[in-house]
Amino acid sequence: MVAFASLKCIIISSLLLPSEAFAPQSNLVNKKVSESSTSLAGVGKVVNRVKDSLLSKERSREDLKIGIAGFYDRSSQIWEEVWGEHMHHGYYVPEDRTDHVQAQIDLIDEVLKWAGVPEPTGDNKDELPKKCVDVGCGIGGSSRHIAKKYGCTANGITLSPYQAGRGNELAKEQGVDDLCSFQVADALEQPFEDNTFDLIWSLESGEHMPDKEKFVNELFRVATPGGRIIIVTWCHRDLEEGEEGLTKKEEKLLAKINRAYYLPRWCSVDDYVRILKENGAVDIKREDWSYIIAPFWKAVIKSSLNLKSLVGLLKSGFSTQRGAYAMFLMLRGFNKGLIKFGLITCTKPKE
Ligand code: SAH
């Protein structure tokens, strides 16, 4: 039913989208030819956009970057209102837990534990992270949690100006603005010196990166020797021996998700491990946590069934509505074993 409602929203919104182009006739009468050709160009742009969307066409890098910023600018507020400050999956052990926000916080703690980052005991300060970078930070939920947990600094980067502003606002509200700061910056060209951070944290942002090699190279560059890198990201399944790529049907499903969530081509956990090895990473560890996060999408879909979410969704515009529809595609991808929730960690070698 929600799928149908979302679909309806998408259709209505895509019909509404060209509204600027279809300005009222009375306004057009006295306008110069150049202006009407501008408006025609506007119609053309919208038509192309709708066509690309229907054909699930891959976006160019520039479109992707602008699209990601706009998508999170528009959707972060409604997400925060319904789900709070963490924009990622939850840790569903036991599988029937319903405290979803706590499940998201637990995911951070469980990933840190899995990656071998020590728990603070009161007398192990030297072993704990001191400087963390949160690459693709959302509104900074992970950064603030990590900063409070270890007493370390956390610098978050995001493409969305709204998210960076909201991240700083929340840091102030929560009394950690001396430790945390957020800014707009590209993960593929980070505004940090080499060898700066001893904890590199990237939670569900790698899937947005159009150049995985450059992404990993940057994570390596800003890590201190001996620093720990943690990447938690959506991947496609590893390819079987002899397989050259995914099936056409699998590619088609991912292409639709890519249009909705502003994603480029996917890669596998095997691909990440290969790139990490090429960078000289040591202590590489990987795991598939798809089964641990599985109940999450069903919970998100259920949460969107209340009036507040539906009204918010109606107001939030086409791309957020398409994002809501794509939840069902994600669910299908996970169920088919095509989409994996991949964890990868390693350390940068001490020179
Ligand atoms: N890690 C956060 C947010 C995940 S949403 C959390 O778990 O709450 C994905 C985030 O990745 C968004 O903040 C988006 O702006 C960011 N992102 C995507 N591509 C990026 C890029 N090239 N550079 C920096 N941030 C990027």
Side-chain angles (χ1 to χ4, degrees), residues 47-307:
V47 169
N48 279 341
R49 214 181 315 142
V50 172
K51 203 169 83 192
D52 289 350
S53 213
L54 290 173
L55 296 174
S56 306
K57 194 175 160 212
E58 198 175 330
R59 288 188 176 85
S60 71
R61 281 196 186 188
E62 206 40 47
D63 279 356
L64 202 60
K65 205 167 156 179
I66 298 166
I68 291 169
F71 176 70
Y72 286 107
D73 274 352
R74 288 188 297 276
S75 61
S76 294
Q77 194 181 348
I78 174 176
W79 180 272
E80 189 187 349
E81 278 166 15
V82 182
W83 277 77
E85 61 186 320
H86 299 282
M87 308 181 74
H88 56 82
H89 288 81
Y91 184 81
Y92 286 89
V93 178
E95 138 185 26
D96 59 352
R97 70 187 293 186
T98 52
D99 51 342
H100 303 299
V101 173
Q102 188 55 46
Q104 289 179 309
I105 298 168
D106 290 353
L107 185 95
I108 302 174
D109 288 330
E110 293 296 333
V111 168
L112 289 164
K113 210 190 290 173
W114 172 85
V117 183
E119 284 289 298
T121 56
D123 57 3
N124 64 345
K125 212 164 175 239
D126 288 350
E127 295 167 29
L128 304 179
K130 312 224 164 14
K131 291 182 90 176
C132 169
V133 64
D134 185 356
V135 180
C137 61
I139 56 170
S142 291
S143 294
R144 287 182 296 275
H145 183 75
I146 287 171
K148 287 177 200 166
K149 180 168 185 163
Y150 301 117
C152 65
T153 60
N155 289 79
I157 56 172
T158 168
L159 290 179
S160 152
Y162 173 85
Q163 289 189 328
R166 184 68 187 138
N168 286 321
E169 210 170 81
L170 287 168
K172 210 165 196 175
E173 268 174 34
Q174 297 177 16
V176 284
D177 52 324
D178 54 335
L179 295 177
C180 301
S181 76
F182 303 95
Q183 62 183 302
V184 173
D186 191 342
L188 303 183
E189 280 167 61
Q190 295 184 29
F192 305 118
E193 301 278 312
D194 298 0
N195 309 322
T196 303
F197 302 99
D198 56 1
L199 179 60
I200 315 291
W201 177 260
S202 168
L203 177 54
E204 298 188 44
S205 66
E207 53 269 31
H208 281 298
M209 308 300 164
D211 185 337
K212 307 294 187 215
E213 262 93 4
K214 202 152 182 227
F215 171 52
V216 173
N217 294 349
E218 274 296 87
L219 300 184
F220 249 79
R221 185 184 66 75
V222 300
T224 52
R228 174 152 300 280
I229 296 170
I230 302 175
I231 305 168
V232 180
T233 184
W234 308 355
C235 289
H236 69 59
R237 64 175 176 82
D238 289 331
L239 297 181
E240 305 278 332
E241 189 116 359
E243 235 184 347
E244 297 221 327
L246 297 174
T247 65
K248 277 216 167 97
K249 219 169 160 187
E250 288 175 323
E251 292 280 11
K252 227 170 146 182
L253 179 63
L254 294 184
K256 279 188 202 157
I257 294 172
N258 292 353
R259 278 305 294 189
Y261 291 148
Y262 295 87
L263 305 177
R265 288 188 70 76
W266 294 47
C267 75
S268 64
V269 173
D270 271 353
D271 291 325
Y272 270 108
V273 170
R274 175 184 50 77
I275 305 170
L276 285 168
K277 282 185 179 159
E278 284 164 9
N279 269 279
V282 288
D283 304 328
I284 301 176
K285 194 173 150 188
R286 58 179 286 173
E287 209 161 310
D288 173 9
W289 275 20
S290 306
Y291 69 100
I292 287 178
I293 55 92
F296 175 81
W297 286 97
K298 282 179 215 145
V300 178
I301 290 168
K302 213 167 151 196
S303 79
S304 61
L305 277 171
N306 66 60
L307 191 64

Side-chain angles (χ1 to χ4, degrees), residues 278-347:
E278 284 164 9
N279 269 279
V282 288
D283 304 328
I284 301 176
K285 194 173 150 188
R286 58 179 286 173
E287 209 161 310
D288 173 9
W289 275 20
S290 306
Y291 69 100
I292 287 178
I293 55 92
F296 175 81
W297 286 97
K298 282 179 215 145
V300 178
I301 290 168
K302 213 167 151 196
S303 79
S304 61
L305 277 171
N306 66 60
L307 191 64
K308 187 176 164 199
S309 310
L310 287 173
V311 170
L313 195 60
L314 269 172
K315 287 199 299 199
S316 59
F318 173 66
S319 62
T320 306
Q321 291 153 12
R322 185 178 46 191
Y325 166 63
M327 294 190 295
F328 295 90
L329 304 177
M330 285 297 293
L331 198 58
R332 196 188 309 162
F334 273 117
N335 287 343
K336 287 190 174 297
L338 165 63
I339 300 180
K340 300 288 180 188
F341 192 77
L343 272 63
I344 307 118
T345 188
C346 67
T347 51

